[in-house]
Each structure stands twice: as C-alpha cells, then as structure tokens.
Amino acid sequence: MRRPGQDCGPQVLIGAALAFVLGVVGVLVLPVLPPPGWLVASALVLLPGWRRRSVRMAGAALLGVCWSWWSLAALVCHPFPDTLARVPLVVEGRIETRPVRRGQATRFLFRVEHARHGGETIAFTGRVRLSWYRDAPVLHPGERWRLPVRLKPVHGYANPGGFDYERWLFVRQVVATGNLRAGEPAQLLDPGPGGYWLARLRQRLGDHLATVLGDAPALGAVQALTLGVRDALTSRDWEILTRTGTNHLLAISGLHVAVIAGAVFALGRWLWSRSRRLTLWLAAPRAGAVMATGAALGYAGLAGFAISTQRALIMIAVVLGALFWLRVLRPWQGFVLALAGVVALDPLAPLGVGFWLSFGAVAAILLALAGRLPSRTPWRRWGQVQWAVSIGLLPLLLLLFARASLVAPLVNLVAVPLFSLLLPLLLVAAVLSLLPGLEAPLRAVAWLLEQGLVGLGWVADQPWSAVTLASRPSWVWLAAILGVALLLAPRGLPGRWLGLVGLAALVLVRPLSPPSGALWLTLVDVGQGLAVVARTHEHTLVYDTGPGFASGFETGSAVLVPLLRAQGVERVDRLVVSHADRDHAGGLVGLRRGVEVRRIDSGEPAALGLDGVGRCRAGEGWVWSGVRFRFLHPVTGGGSGNDASCVLRIEVGDVSVLLTGDIGAAVERQLVERHGAALRSTVLVLAHHGSASSSSATLLEAVAPELALVASGYANHYGFPAEVVCARLIARDIETRGTAHEGALRLRLEAEGVALEPGWRARHDRLWRHRPDAGCAPRCPWACGRARTLAAWFVPLPAPLTAPTCRERTPTISRTD
C-alpha cells in the first residue's frame, strides 16, 4: 500500500512529461530567448526542494525550457545578417532535399558549409532555400556544389490571416533564402549522395512513379501516399481536399502509419502463431509488435521522416512498446507520453499546424470514447469517431485556416475506410512496378484513386460543403474549445449543454467594423508591389492587388483573400486597379476567384483583359457612409503605363489619404497645376514604391503630408525607397513608414484625426519573426559581442520593434498602443 505523501510512479511520470511539454511550448511563444542567467538561477532555486513533488514538476518544466532553449539558440542567436542581404556570395555545400521544379525555377534546400564574399571567407553556415532559374541542370540530393548566390534573411509577407512563411521556414531550420546569380558559373564538386542516400532513393522512386503513370491525374496522389511528396498536387487538388476535410488522406500521418502498422501487426502475429517453436521463443503479439514497428519505421523512411511522420512514428512506438513490454498503458497516458516524445525529438514541432491537428484529433477521440461502453455495431462506433474528430477539430480548423468543411464527418465516414484498404494495395503495387512488366497493378490502383478524387471534387463544388469564418477575439476561441470539450464529455457530466454556448460564440461574436463616418485603411504587405484595403461602415474598396509571378503564385488569393476573410469582408464593392503592371494587377484573377467583386475600375482597362472594367476618370467621386472618394487622375486619354495610374483621394472630415499608384514626376506636376492646395492630405502613399522618379519636391510641398507610407519589398534590388526620396521626406520632417520593415500597416481615420497602429510584425512578434536592421541577434541580444557582460546574462535587452523606413523621429500624428 502506498504511504501518504509517497509518489506514485506512473502518475509522476505522466505529470512530469506534461510539465516538460509545457516548458518546451512556453519558450516558443516568447518574442526573445530568456537570458541564460535566468535558467541557471531557476535551477539553483529549485535544487534544495527536489524531494517535493511540486518542485519536481517545476523541474520537469524547467528541463523543457532548457531543452527548447538549447535547441533554438544556434538557430535564433546566429541569424543571417541584414548587412549581407543580396550581397554577391559564393557558397559551398550539399543539396539536402529533392529539388522541385515549378515553372522556370528549381527550388531545393542547401546546407552551406563554406561561404565567401569577394574572396574572403565569412562566418556563415546553415540551411538555406535556393531557387535556380533558367537552365538549371538535373539536380540530386547529396550533390556537393559551389554556387554563386544572393541571399537574404528569411522574410515573408506579414499580414492578418495570411500564411506565415517565416514560421514555416523556421520549423525547417532555414536561416536564409535566395537564388543563383548570373556572372559566375556553378560548379559540381561531388556527384555522390554523401549522407543523403535516403533522399536520393526517394527521388529515384518518385521519378519511377512519374515514368510509370505519365500524365495520369492521380500521379500527385500516388506520390503523396507512397513517398510523402506532394509537389505534383495542383491547387485544384488542395481545394477539393480542403473543402471536403480529406486533406489528411494525402498527407502521410498517423492514420497512414497506423494502417500500415496495424496491417503488418495482424499479418505478422498470425504468421508467427503458425510456428510452435517461434511462439515458445517469443509470444506472437510481441513478435507482431516488433514487425509493426519495423514497418512503421520503413514507411516513415519512405516519407523522408517528415515532421508529420515523426509524430506518427513516436505515437505508434509508444503503443507498440507498451504491448511488447507487457505494460498496461491507459489511453491518456499514452497520449501524454507520445506528446512528450514528439517535442523531445523536435522542440520546434509545436510550431507546425499538423502538430495541433494530429494531437487534437487523438484528444477528441479519447474524450468522446472515454467512459462509454463500446458500441456493438462497428459502423456506429466508427461514426462516433468521425463525429468526435469533426466537432473536436472545428475550432482549430477555423482558427488556423479560417475555413472548415461541413461535410467532413459524412465524407470521412466512407473515405477513410476506402483509403485504408487502398493504401496497402498501393504500396504493394508500387513495389511490384519496380519489376519489369508488372506496372499494370499500379496503374489500376491509380485509376481507383482518380475516381475517388473525382467523387470528392463533386462534393467540394457544392456551395454548402465548407464554411469560412473571420477572425475572432481570443476569448471566443477559448470558449469554443471548452465548448467542444464539454460536448464530447460523457453524458453524465452536468452542464454539457453549456458547450453549445461556447460554440455559439463563434457565430454570434462578429468582427468589429468601422463606425459611420470613419475609414479603416490597411496598406497590405505584398512585397515589391501595392495593395490597399479601405473599409467604411458598409463598404470595402481594394486599391491594387499586388504582384503575380511566372510560377503561378499571386498575392490576390495568397494574401488579399485571407486578409479580407480575417476582417469579415465577404465582397469587394469596388476594385481599383491603378494600371496594368504586374506588380499592381498580378493578383486580380486570384482576388476575383476568392471573393465577390462588384465593380472594377482601372487606368488601363483594356490591358487587364477582362470584360466590364471601367476607366478611372478625374472628377468622378462617390460617398460611402460619410466617407468621400474622388479620382484625381487620369483625365480623358491620360497616357499609358505608370502615368495612367488612377490617383484616388479619400476624405474623412478634414483628414485625407492620397493614393498615387505609379505616377511619375510629370504627372505629379500636372496634379499640382490642376488642384493646387486641394491636394493637401494627411497621409500620402508614395508613388512607385518610393522610386526616385516620383515623390517630387513639387508634390510633397503641395500635399504636405504628416505621414508617408511606402509599399516595397524587403531588400528589393531596386533600392526602394530611393535615398533622394528619403532625403526629401527628412528635410520636410515627414514621418515615413513601410511594409518592408513592419509588414501590414493599419490606419484608422476619423474626423478628429488619424490613429496609426504598430506594424503587423511588432504586434505579432515571435522568435521566428524577422526584425530588419534590428542588430546582430535581436532574439538573444545577450549573445552579441557588445552585450557580453555579466548583467546581460540576466537582463534581456530587446531590440526596437519597428524600424522606420527613412529615419527615427517623433511622430506628428496619434498612435494606438
């Protein structure tokens, strides 16, 4: 009998594992790494009370903090310096991943071992993501190359609701991105695979599948299910999978690894039990567990030990390990141990969306089935599982993607068993296809997959298949998650009906909108391009749509649509495309595909290639909810190209914003001649991204803005904003802010004045967020040479959150905190 106060082994282990996980996750939500002195001091404080259980739990949490800190220090404390952005370098290293060709670019991860600039070695090593444009040779993982490159720190678009590219690369420990430059040839130093033989094998298998299946529509699905390679999946494929809630079926995850492990366990156990001699040496269930573990390990290897397969492998290993060692493992204990195992293997795993979806699904199943007698009907129990996963993941899906499938429970009820039966057949057919003359089974299975995708496509095309949701306050998401937990809890729990109240908050609480007579304006971060969202109480105007690229990527669907959804905007009442240049009109098609656009105006309507596009005409205006809009340019027949840009002035009482597109100095002089003092505006969005050919002294004198905004790309090769433009702004004491350093900028205009919020990067500062020009190591300033003092090891020295585009100055307009 356990004495009072004596620790119970399994409970202590599970508690310590959970505390360890919380410690790891706690570091990831900080904006800077804690100084090492804090960790040492915390350990010294806990050491005397080590025998107490509460202190041991705190020690486990501290161990998680230290483990996360140690894993992150090399990545965070030695970032690629901003001073080397776009500087010509020569790097040597090996290709780490299977190169992917999209359009004219071949992209791959490259491990830099040596780097030189101007013949001198620089202290930089690490993983970079490279793009090789034009005439890239056939590349293979493991090859060692000497490459002429231009690199820059990991820097992505920073907008509400958008994909966090910087976090995605941070999880993969990428410290810089770039491309090969012309002028110096690339040199292959070693064609061998080095230590990347597995990646080389996966590339060969992928090429083999492509050769056998050719242009079959199911090629992407086959490669995804066998090798975890999803490069051949089209945007249409992902749209189908997302709207039907079946995207997990084509990502090698816990379901797939469990199917393979379960099939091998059942088969191995049955075969082993046929031999009396073998069963006397090792029990059939234990032998099946060993075989299943080996199969799961091999399948994870085929997928390149991707993060999702690592999670699945650890979870399977915990369950099979308990079976092999004849330990009774309660479901929640296995869940916590698997959780601890995943974060111990990869402390960055909690930054991945798949981490929360995987463990969230398992938690929902355990919560829904715990304390209930198993159903006698297998289909009914399977339906309970699908209901638990669908309702349990609903808040997470809406929070992470702003969209969730309404048909997922019914679709998965049928699709998951079918895919589970098809997966072993596919793997067997893929192996057989390696033998000459045995390609037919693979083609047959691929045809079956194709029919399944066709059926899913029909469901996805129904307007009721999915629902989108705008951003909500944090308390709403917390209430929804707690509500789901109550709904999935056993029926005997009092107050389960309150779960409906928590879910109802998702629908009843709406995003804030501007009051009548006010304007909320967002200068969107679209890199080297322009996009502005202006919202009144009842209407939304979008000015330009950002760039589009030859690869097919465009900012309309990737940036603007998620931002509008996050703000609760379901339609665009007026879209103004200033002119037809790709950096302003590149996202037009993607925007129209994602939201309803009621009217389009442009300075070059014919060049857009769309029907029904009107022409911006000087003098035309309208009023929305007390906010006045008026075009100032072009006049009839007002030029082409940049000088045809629509110039739009928005007035809220005595406060105004002037949007100028890409007009040059000649058009600026015409505007001053026609309008004179009427051009005066509180806020000016600089023309042509701050080019030296625009923002002339004549225009600045006439407009006399208090704030100038610059939409430009970080480390763009044009050098925008130009030094001469910055000099003009500084001379006139005009504060300048830009998307390149701060991300999306939001202003609130009311008759009383303008409120400028901190940039999106400052408001969502995290360890992985790039801080341009913030110093040598903004996330761990105590590691900088100038800060290596005893005090710096205990007192954090955070770098400034913002870096004004032209210079630091005291603002002349009000700000919000």
Side-chain angles (χ1 to χ4, degrees):
M1 180 179 295
R2 183 171 63 90
R3 296 179 181 177
Q6 181 180 352
D7 286 341
C8 184
Q11 286 79 356
V12 172
L13 177 62
I14 298 303
L18 187 58
F20 174 81
V21 172
L22 294 176
V24 171
V25 175
V27 176
L28 297 178
V29 301
L30 298 175
V32 296
L33 280 181
W38 288 11
L39 306 181
V40 175
S42 300
L44 293 177
V45 169
L46 294 176
L47 189 59
W50 182 250
R51 293 182 177 276
R52 301 177 60 181
R53 182 173 181 178
S54 59
V55 175
R56 290 185 182 181
M57 296 298 104
L62 180 61
L63 180 62
V65 170
C66 293
W67 175 239
S68 185
W69 188 96
W70 179 263
S71 303
L72 292 170
L75 182 62
V76 172
C77 298
H78 302 285
F80 185 80
D82 289 272
T83 54
L84 294 179
R86 300 198 63 80
V87 169
L89 302 176
V90 176
V91 297
E92 293 182 9
R94 290 189 181 272
I95 298 175
E96 286 197 321
T97 58
R98 174 179 179 266
V100 177
R101 188 171 185 85
R102 291 280 178 85
Q104 298 180 354
T106 299
R107 293 185 173 86
F108 53 93
L109 296 185
F110 189 79
R111 172 66 62 176
V112 175
E113 300 169 351
H114 304 284
R116 291 183 292 109
H117 170 53
E120 297 183 1
T121 301
I122 61 175
F124 169 67
T125 59
R127 180 179 293 170
V128 300
R129 188 172 189 251
L130 294 178
S131 298
W132 192 330
Y133 296 95
R134 297 179 303 275
D135 303 325
V138 178
L139 303 173
H140 302 91
E143 291 179 339
R144 194 167 189 272
W145 284 82
R146 179 183 293 124
L147 303 174
V149 299
R150 294 184 188 274
L151 301 176
K152 63 179 181 180
V154 171
H155 187 95
Y157 303 131
N159 300 286
F163 174 67
D164 197 336
Y165 180 64
E166 295 174 17
R167 184 179 67 180
W168 184 80
L169 290 179
F170 186 76
V171 171
R172 287 151 182 81
Q173 301 184 37
V174 174
V175 296
T177 60
N179 57 273
L180 272 69
R181 56 184 173 85
E184 188 172 344
Q187 183 178 355
L188 177 62
L189 302 178
D190 180 10
Y196 301 94
W197 60 269
L198 180 59
R200 181 77 65 92
L201 174 62
R202 295 180 66 242
Q203 183 186 37
R204 290 178 179 174
L205 292 175
D207 294 341
H208 167 75
L209 294 176
T211 301
V212 173
L213 297 178
D215 296 331
L219 173 62
V222 171
Q223 290 182 332
L225 289 171
T226 54
L227 301 173
V229 175
R230 291 172 281 180
D231 306 325
L233 292 173
T234 65
S235 58
R236 166 63 177 170
D237 293 333
W238 284 117
E239 181 71 10
I240 290 173
L241 297 171
T242 302
R243 291 186 63 85
T244 56
T246 54
N247 44 356
H248 63 95
L249 294 179
L250 294 189
I252 296 180
S253 58
L255 172 64
H256 301 77
V257 178
V259 167
I260 298 302
V264 172
F265 174 80
L267 180 61
R269 178 181 178 178
W270 180 80
L271 291 175
W272 195 271
S273 65
R274 300 302 94 189
S275 172
R276 181 178 181 184
R277 179 177 299 179
L278 291 177
T279 53
L280 290 176
W281 178 65
L282 184 67
R286 301 179 73 183
V290 173
M291 296 179 193
T293 303
L297 184 64
Y299 190 37
L302 274 179
F305 292 107
I307 296 174
S308 59
T309 56
Q310 291 178 17
R311 285 194 306 269
L313 186 60
I314 292 175
M315 296 174 71
I316 296 295
V318 168
V319 175
L320 294 177
L323 178 62
F324 181 84
W325 296 109
L326 304 179
R327 295 289 187 269
V328 177
L329 189 66
R330 295 180 179 178
W332 282 108
Q333 292 176 339
F335 175 83
V336 174
L337 289 177
L339 190 65
V342 168
V343 299
L345 180 65
D346 182 12
L348 293 176
L351 294 180
V353 171
F355 174 88
W356 298 101
L357 295 180
S358 297
F359 284 102
V362 176
I365 293 173
L366 294 179
L367 188 61
L369 300 184
R372 291 181 171 90
L373 293 176
S375 174
R376 296 181 179 180
T377 307
W379 277 105
R380 182 176 180 182
R381 187 169 181 83
W382 178 241
Q384 292 174 342
V385 168
Q386 290 304 315
W387 164 254
V389 171
S390 299
I391 193 68
L393 293 185
L394 179 63
L396 275 178
L397 291 171
L398 292 173
L399 174 62
L400 297 172
F401 303 108
R403 182 166 63 172
S405 173
L406 296 179
V407 297
L410 293 177
V411 171
N412 281 288
L413 188 66
V414 178
V416 171
L418 292 180
F419 270 78
S420 299
L421 292 174
L422 205 58
L423 181 59
L425 296 177
L426 175 62
L427 293 179
V428 172
V431 172
L432 291 176
S433 70
L434 297 173
L435 302 176
L438 293 180
E439 296 87 358
L442 179 59
R443 294 193 181 99
V445 176
W447 182 84
L448 291 175
L449 273 175
E450 180 182 343
Q451 303 314 304
L453 292 175
V454 170
L456 291 177
W458 180 85
V459 177
D461 290 336
Q462 307 308 314
W464 37 261
S465 62
V467 62
T468 59
L469 196 70
S471 62
R472 297 288 192 269
S474 300
W475 69 266
V476 173
W477 299 113
L478 180 60
I481 293 173
L482 293 177
V484 164
L486 283 174
L487 291 177
L488 295 179
R491 294 183 179 178
L493 183 69
R496 286 181 68 242
W497 62 271
L498 292 174
L500 296 175
V501 178
L503 283 180
L506 286 175
V507 179
L508 299 178
V509 178
R510 304 289 296 174
L512 296 177
S513 60
S516 182
L519 176 79
W520 290 359
L521 184 141
T522 303
L523 182 64
V524 187
D525 180 10
V526 290
Q528 191 58 32
L530 178 64
V532 179
V533 175
R535 297 177 58 203
T536 66
H537 181 62
E538 296 178 335
H539 299 84
T540 298
L541 176 140
V542 173
Y543 183 94
D544 282 342
T545 62
F549 301 93
S551 63
F553 178 84
E554 41 77 25
T555 53
S557 59
V559 176
L560 279 175
V561 171
L563 183 145
L564 292 171
R565 287 175 177 169
Q567 295 182 350
V569 176
E570 299 178 356
R571 71 174 187 274
V572 174
D573 298 283
R574 196 156 189 165
L575 170 61
V576 178
V577 181
S578 63
H579 61 302
D581 280 5
R582 189 175 62 180
D583 57 337
H584 293 252
L588 172 59
V589 175
L591 176 64
R592 294 182 69 212
R593 188 170 55 240
V595 297
E596 176 190 359
V597 178
R598 293 192 168 181
R599 175 171 177 172
I600 304 177
D601 294 304
S602 177
E604 296 182 293
L608 296 181
L610 299 175
D611 296 330
V613 179
R615 180 182 294 276
C616 303
R617 299 186 184 277
E620 178 187 355
W622 65 95
V623 178
W624 285 344
S625 303
V627 179
R628 296 183 296 277
F629 297 78
R630 186 161 63 100
F631 288 124
L632 305 183
H633 182 80
V635 295
T636 303
S640 62
N642 290 345
D643 287 343
S645 296
C646 304
V647 176
L648 179 65
R649 191 168 188 265
I650 310 175
E651 303 174 10
V652 183
D654 295 331
V655 180
S656 58
V657 178
L658 187 63
L659 305 176
T660 54
D662 273 357
I663 60 172
V667 175
E668 291 178 350
R669 287 193 297 271
Q670 296 173 14
L671 286 173
V672 174
E673 292 172 359
R674 288 200 304 268
H675 301 282
L679 282 177
R680 185 175 297 273
S681 299
T682 314
V683 180
L684 170 66
V685 179
L686 294 185
H688 206 185
H689 322 288
S691 165
S693 62
S694 304
S695 304
S696 62
T698 301
L699 181 73
L700 293 179
E701 291 292 342
V703 177
E706 297 180 15
L707 174 66
L709 302 180
V710 184
S712 62
Y714 168 74
N716 63 86
H717 61 275
Y718 302 104
F720 295 158
E723 292 184 6
V724 63
V725 173
C726 282
R728 294 171 191 158
L729 296 167
I730 292 172
R732 291 163 178 78
D733 201 33
I734 300 172
E735 183 189 11
T736 310
R737 304 286 289 276
T739 58
H741 286 74
E742 301 182 66
L745 295 168
R746 188 166 70 174
L747 296 82
R748 302 193 181 200
L749 288 78
E750 298 179 353
E752 296 78 16
V754 180
L756 170 64
E757 296 183 354
W760 194 91
R761 290 185 179 278
R763 289 186 285 117
H764 298 82
D765 196 26
R766 295 292 185 270
L767 284 172
W768 59 88
R769 192 76 61 222
H770 180 217
R771 287 184 179 179
D773 304 324
C776 69
R779 304 302 173 182
C780 46
W782 40 266
C784 295
R786 57 181 168 78
R788 285 176 182 167
T789 63
L790 182 61
W793 282 63
F794 290 90
V795 180
L797 302 171
L801 289 178
T802 60
T805 300
C806 285
R807 70 162 177 141
E808 187 82 40
R809 70 182 292 274
T810 303
T812 57
I813 61 177
S814 61
R815 299 169 181 254
T816 58
D817 293 332

